[in-house]
Amino acid sequence: MSRLRVEAFSLSLDGFGAGPAQTLENPLGVGGEALHGWARPTRTFRRMFEGKDGTTGVDDRFAVRSFEGVGAWILGRNMFGPIRGEWPDESWRGWWGEEPPYHVPVFVLTHHARRDLPMKGGTTFHFVTGGIQEALARAREAAGPRDVRIGGGASTIRQYLQAGLVDSMHLAFSPVLLGSGESLLSGLDLLRLGFRVTEHVPGENATHVVLTRG
Amino acid sequence: MSRLRVEAFSLSLDGFGAGPAQTLENPLGVGGEALHGWARPTRTFRRMFEGKDGTTGVDDRFAVRSFEGVGAWILGRNMFGPIRGEWPDESWRGWWGEEPPYHVPVFVLTHHARRDLPMKGGTTFHFVTGGIQEALARAREAAGPRDVRIGGGASTIRQYLQAGLVDSMHLAFSPVLLGSGESLLSGLDLLRLGFRVTEHVPGENATHVVLTRG
């Protein structure tokens, strides 16, 4: 069966996946942008977001891998946008412009129904109101033999971890402190969930850790 | 003034400074020994504990530094030994044999008074019942112009952090998961305490991070 993967999820040294006080201007919370300092200069991200070339070292190798073999994504609603509660209309179309970097179906967890939103380049956003199991079932069906990637944020990943559904996690520990914010692992017992460290690789701007279950 | 330093304190990737269920046989708790996998092969530790030579790379450089300029230590009682409550007698003399690796005065936090315990090689254990401030005052006096090092464990370091007294922390992130145990940073806001990341160096068997206040 295809695997459920967390990829390229950035953590601060004190274990936060986003800073406090997330807003439209600061979607990753105060200080949260620094978490992605390792990804930004890579060729993978520069090509994707700026149409330019970038670095091709260890950090980029993990960035490349994070997209390989992915047939569908699952996102928490806050990762799709800053709107809370009912959708006022259909004008919010994600953070990424008209051609999002997914190029496969993306399942957005929300309590509020919304019509499918097809974008350029193969991405379609589907809004799932039935919870994490339903989102995973639909994502698996869409992905076929390929894997499903959970994009985040921290609370979405935590729900899938607690349910014992995540097969592997690539975490990028960035050399920053956030002090407060959304903790990824607090209160979770990764050993009891069956994870062990299968890779631990220093990159140019982060330490890459792969945790694998089973 | 001399500084208060945490040095060579090992953390798991999930943020634990010791595993669960500490006992005489397992002073670092279940799985906790693995935290120190980076230190054990170094020349510093091999010479200290086995009288043999060892590695001299990045991990050893941080091990060497951890002892430099240290004029006194502070230890939590559990780091001194497994006995809880009143001292039944004076037979417990620490984990380290007759010549402990400190070679300076060591102040042990305890609720239970005990006579000073001079050991071979310059180490004297002093048992402090007046709390962390008293221990620090006495350690500073003993250290003179040199620094005071907090050996641990996690709860002792947390108390000094919360009191705003720690000047720098060298943490060694080992590539292991502990799942549960003693968290070092949970609930502490290191940014608000004034820390920033001043070094981030991949070692042979751990990632070394130095956090400095002010």
Side-chain angles (χ1 to χ4, degrees), chain B:
Chain B
M1 195 164 70
S2 80
R3 291 179 307 141
L4 183 58
R5 291 156 49 189
V6 172
E7 291 281 355
F9 193 79
S10 304
L11 279 181
S12 66
L13 296 171
D14 43 356
F16 297 105
Q22 294 173 44
T23 61
L24 181 57
E25 293 72 35
N26 238 342
L28 291 160
V30 175
E33 272 299 315
L35 290 178
H36 301 280
W38 68 272
R40 223 166 290 122
T42 62
R43 179 160 74 180
T44 299
F45 279 75
R46 299 258 297 173
R47 282 190 178 166
M48 195 172 284
F49 294 112
E50 302 169 29
K52 295 177 190 163
D53 210 7
T55 64
T56 57
V58 171
D59 289 341
D60 187 59
R61 211 164 71 224
F62 276 93
V64 167
R65 265 170 60 167
S66 76
F67 289 94
E68 283 173 353
V70 173
W73 287 62
I74 295 171
L75 302 184
R77 182 180 178 172
N78 298 356
M79 219 179 128
F80 176 69
I83 298 162
R84 306 292 182 265
E86 293 285 345
W87 305 101
D89 52 46
E90 297 193 342
S91 60
W92 180 264
R93 296 164 69 80
W95 301 103
W96 309 274
E98 285 306 300
E99 185 169 345
Y102 302 107
H103 310 293
V104 292
V106 175
F107 296 84
V108 179
L109 292 160
T110 168
H111 294 293
H112 303 282
R114 180 171 165 179
R115 286 191 302 180
D116 289 354
L117 177 57
M119 307 292 287
K120 281 188 194 148
T123 300
T124 296
F125 293 111
H126 302 276
F127 300 89
V128 181
T129 55
I132 64 167
Q133 297 277 4
E134 180 185 317
L136 179 56
R138 291 181 59 188
R140 279 206 203 283
E141 198 185 333
R146 286 183 294 168
D147 292 339
V148 175
R149 174 172 168 183
I150 309 178
S155 75
T156 299
I157 298 173
R158 287 175 63 86
Q159 289 177 60
Y160 281 102
L161 283 171
Q162 278 162 330
L165 294 168
V166 176
D167 295 300
S168 69
M169 278 204 287
H170 159 224
L171 304 176
F173 284 84
S174 288
V176 297
L177 294 173
L178 286 183
S180 59
E182 277 197 84
S183 168
L184 180 68
L185 301 177
S186 153
L188 294 179
D189 185 331
L190 289 183
L191 275 193
R192 216 162 54 167
L193 288 168
F195 286 96
R196 62 206 161 80
V197 181
T198 49
E199 290 180 71
H200 181 259
V201 185
E204 293 77 24
N205 292 299
T207 305
H208 299 277
V209 173
V210 178
L211 308 176
T212 307
R213 188 165 61 91

Side-chain angles (χ1 to χ4, degrees), chain A residues 28-167:
Chain A
L28 290 160
V30 175
E33 272 300 315
L35 291 178
H36 301 281
W38 68 273
R40 222 167 290 121
T42 62
R43 179 160 75 179
T44 299
F45 280 74
R46 299 258 296 174
R47 281 190 179 165
M48 194 172 285
F49 294 111
E50 302 169 29
K52 295 177 190 165
D53 210 7
T55 64
T56 57
V58 170
D59 289 341
D60 188 58
R61 211 164 70 224
F62 277 93
V64 167
R65 267 170 57 165
S66 76
F67 290 93
E68 283 173 353
V70 173
W73 287 62
I74 296 171
L75 302 184
R77 182 180 179 173
N78 298 357
M79 218 179 128
F80 176 70
I83 298 162
R84 306 291 182 266
E86 293 285 345
W87 304 102
D89 52 43
E90 297 192 344
S91 60
W92 180 265
R93 297 165 68 80
W95 301 104
W96 309 275
E98 285 305 301
E99 185 170 346
Y102 301 106
H103 311 293
V104 292
V106 175
F107 296 85
V108 179
L109 292 159
T110 168
H111 294 293
H112 303 280
R114 181 170 163 177
R115 286 190 303 179
D116 290 352
L117 177 57
M119 308 291 288
K120 280 189 197 149
T123 300
T124 296
F125 293 111
H126 303 276
F127 301 88
V128 181
T129 56
I132 64 167
Q133 298 277 4
E134 180 184 319
L136 179 56
R138 291 180 60 185
R140 280 204 202 284
E141 198 185 333
R146 287 183 293 168
D147 293 338
V148 176
R149 175 172 168 182
I150 309 177
S155 75
T156 299
I157 297 173
R158 287 175 63 86
Q159 288 176 62
Y160 280 101
L161 283 171
Q162 278 162 329
L165 294 167
V166 176
D167 295 300

Side-chain angles (χ1 to χ4, degrees), chain A residues 13 175 178-179 189 191 197 200 202 209, chain B residues 13 175 178-179 189 191 200 202 209:
Chain A
L13 296 172
L178 286 183
D189 186 331
L191 275 193
V197 181
H200 182 258
V209 172
Chain B
L13 296 171
L178 286 183
D189 185 331
L191 275 193
H200 181 259
V209 173

